Amino acid sequence: MEITHIEHIGIAVKSIEEQLPYYEETLGLKCYNIETVEDQKVKTAFFMVGQTKIELLEPTSEESTIAKYIERRGEGVHHIAYATKNLSKALKHMEEKGVRLIDNEPRKGAEGLNIAFLHPKSTGSVLTELCEHPE
Ligand code: ZN
């Protein structure tokens, strides 16, 4: 498997609107996209930092895993996402290495990426996402 870079870092927030001034005015980053991912019940906001994005995740429903995460652990870093070349192959590799998968097959994430999550029990408690840019 080949990881090329950190695609993004996901940060759980209660309100994107409330956090925007910090990212835009204080850090001087530009929010280039705000998008709702219906099946994950989250609203996402993206900032580019070199090759890597910061992805803010705001729950759109109390059923959202992000809502549950904030309830348990508060706002903060939620996951790290690595960009990889062949996601299906990477998932097979992970499985062979005994890593527990949350997604056995790639699925569609924000920005049209193919994504899959690995279970934090197998990744040193870091919720880890693998992403692949569709060809
Ligand atoms: Zn992500």
Side-chain angles (χ1 to χ4, degrees), residues 7-10 40 46 55 57 79-81 115 117 129 131:
E7 215 286 330
H8 62 269
I9 295 169
Q40 289 179 63
F46 290 94
E55 176 187 45
L57 300 153
H79 67 273
I80 184 161
I115 65 158
F117 280 92
E129 177 183 351
C131 316

Side-chain angles (χ1 to χ4, degrees), residues 1 39-40 82 84-95 101-110 112-118 128-135:
M1 100 167 258
D39 70 333
Q40 289 179 63
Y82 296 105
T84 182
K85 284 277 161 64
N86 182 332
L87 183 53
S88 300
K89 209 171 132 196
L91 287 176
K92 279 205 186 76
H93 169 81
M94 287 292 154
E95 235 178 341
L101 307 179
I102 293 176
D103 299 301
N104 291 305
E105 298 291 333
R107 61 184 167 90
K108 280 283 168 210
L113 294 179
N114 300 322
I115 65 158
F117 280 92
L118 311 177
T128 300
E129 177 183 351
L130 300 177
C131 316
E132 166 195 64
H133 284 269
E135 294 307 313

Side-chain angles (χ1 to χ4, degrees), residues 13-27:
V13 300
K14 289 178 186 162
S15 162
I16 284 172
E17 205 190 323
E18 274 176 29
Q19 294 299 326
L20 274 181
Y22 168 68
Y23 287 92
E24 293 207 298
E25 287 151 38
T26 309
L27 290 180

